[in-house]
Amino acid sequence: SIASADMDLNQLEAFLTAQTKKQGGITSDQAAVIAKFWKNHRIKIHESLINQSRWDNVLKNMNWRVDLKSQSRHIDQINTPVAIVEMELGKSGQ
């Protein structure tokens, strides 16, 4: 719950206090250890969750344009918009 919510220190304190008051919850010593661990490793845990949830490829570049036909054998095809999209994908970190 702490990691998925990416809790700040105030949220963490409120969450752990609630857990210590809950029937069958954690002790105040356990809450202190969890708080210390979260304070020391929050950034690493957050980055790890992001890396696990992201695809291998990332969008490196994107170009797009909209073309209109100005000549055609059939009059109903003139001024028909056509979107052209070019996406460059690459591995994250490269």
Side-chain angles (χ1 to χ4, degrees):
S1 296
I2 296 168
S4 64
D6 194 27
M7 293 183 184
D8 63 21
L9 297 180
N10 292 331
Q11 293 170 323
L12 176 66
E13 184 179 334
F15 177 76
L16 292 175
T17 300
Q19 294 301 311
T20 58
K21 293 180 180 181
K22 193 162 71 169
Q23 180 71 23
I26 61 176
T27 66
S28 58
D29 290 338
Q30 290 171 324
V33 170
I34 292 169
K36 184 176 180 181
F37 182 83
W38 181 246
K39 289 174 188 175
N40 291 332
H41 299 286
R42 177 182 179 194
I43 294 171
K44 290 178 188 175
I45 294 169
H46 183 70
E47 288 174 357
S48 176
L49 288 175
I50 289 172
N51 288 334
Q52 290 174 25
S53 64
R54 155 171 84 193
W55 294 341
D56 287 338
N57 291 324
V58 294
L59 183 62
K60 296 287 187 181
N61 190 19
M62 185 175 113
N63 295 311
W64 64 276
R65 71 174 196 248
V66 176
D67 292 343
L68 294 174
K69 282 190 174 184
S70 60
Q71 292 181 342
S72 179
R73 289 184 181 189
H74 305 287
I75 193 88
D76 60 334
Q77 292 179 348
I78 293 179
N79 292 330
T80 302
V82 176
I84 299 172
V85 179
E86 177 185 9
M87 291 186 273
E88 180 184 351
L89 300 176
K91 295 285 183 191
S92 59
Q94 294 180 350

